[in-house]
Amino acid sequence: MNIFYGNVINNRLSTLCAEAVAIELKKHNTFAVQITIERAMEGRTNKQNRYLHMMLTIFQQELNKLGNDFTIEEVKNICKFKFCRQKVYNVDTGELVGETIKETSKMTTKEISKFTEQIRQWAAEYFHIQLPLPNETI
């Protein structure tokens, strides 16, 4: 499976993307193919990534002062389990199959902003830990 990224301008794919798709289609001549077109995800920014890491580090240190022995990865997983669960349904029947946890690397800028704000609120409300806002420095 190949994923191509490009821009659509005047209802046409950008030249480089169109050429790459054409080359790939030649490899599948006479075979059935599946083509999906969707908007490219606007992933989290480097600034958001740094803020998330800084915030989780502070949260981990503060939780450990309360008598825990968490690693930063454990704190991140606890936060993802609390705030990033997604229901998974059977496409054919609509039946609930279970839940997954969305990885932060797959979050959009809006999703990561919401996630960090949820962590800040939870830390303050349940643990009385004040985590800095994105624009605050330590």
Side-chain angles (χ1 to χ4, degrees):
M1 178 175 89
N2 289 307
I3 298 175
F4 300 94
Y5 294 93
N7 294 313
V8 177
I9 301 165
N10 295 326
N11 301 319
R12 293 185 168 279
L13 277 175
S14 58
T15 304
L16 288 177
C17 183
E19 289 171 358
V21 169
I23 290 168
E24 186 63 27
L25 287 174
K26 288 179 183 177
K27 297 177 188 175
H28 301 282
N29 192 29
T30 72
F31 294 101
V33 297
Q34 175 180 319
I35 299 172
T36 302
I37 298 175
E38 60 186 51
R39 285 190 177 188
M41 182 179 78
E42 184 183 327
R44 68 183 188 200
T45 65
N46 287 334
K47 185 177 179 180
Q48 286 178 315
N49 192 42
R50 286 189 306 273
Y51 172 66
L52 175 63
H53 183 74
M54 178 212 47
M55 189 180 70
L56 289 172
T57 300
I58 295 168
F59 195 24
Q60 176 231 355
Q61 292 167 350
E62 293 299 316
L63 286 173
N64 287 349
K65 286 179 187 176
L66 299 174
N68 301 292
D69 189 26
F70 294 126
T71 65
I72 192 168
E73 196 61 33
E74 288 171 322
V75 171
K76 183 178 182 182
N77 286 335
I78 290 167
C79 292
K80 289 191 310 184
F81 182 79
K82 182 154 183 67
F83 300 114
C84 301
R85 286 184 285 179
Q86 299 178 312
K87 294 184 185 312
V88 178
Y89 296 92
N90 181 310
V91 178
D92 295 327
T93 66
E95 179 184 2
L96 178 65
V97 176
E99 289 183 324
T100 62
I101 297 175
K102 186 166 189 169
E103 293 299 322
T104 57
S105 61
K106 304 270 192 248
M107 290 182 184
T108 65
T109 54
K110 287 182 182 181
E111 290 170 330
I112 201 75
S113 291
K114 180 181 176 184
F115 179 53
T116 55
E117 182 55 29
Q118 288 171 319
I119 295 169
R120 284 186 68 261
Q121 289 178 1
W122 183 52
E125 186 175 332
Y126 289 97
F127 303 103
H128 307 290
I129 297 171
Q130 297 300 316
L131 297 172
L133 290 166
N135 59 351
E136 293 177 338
T137 57
I138 304 169

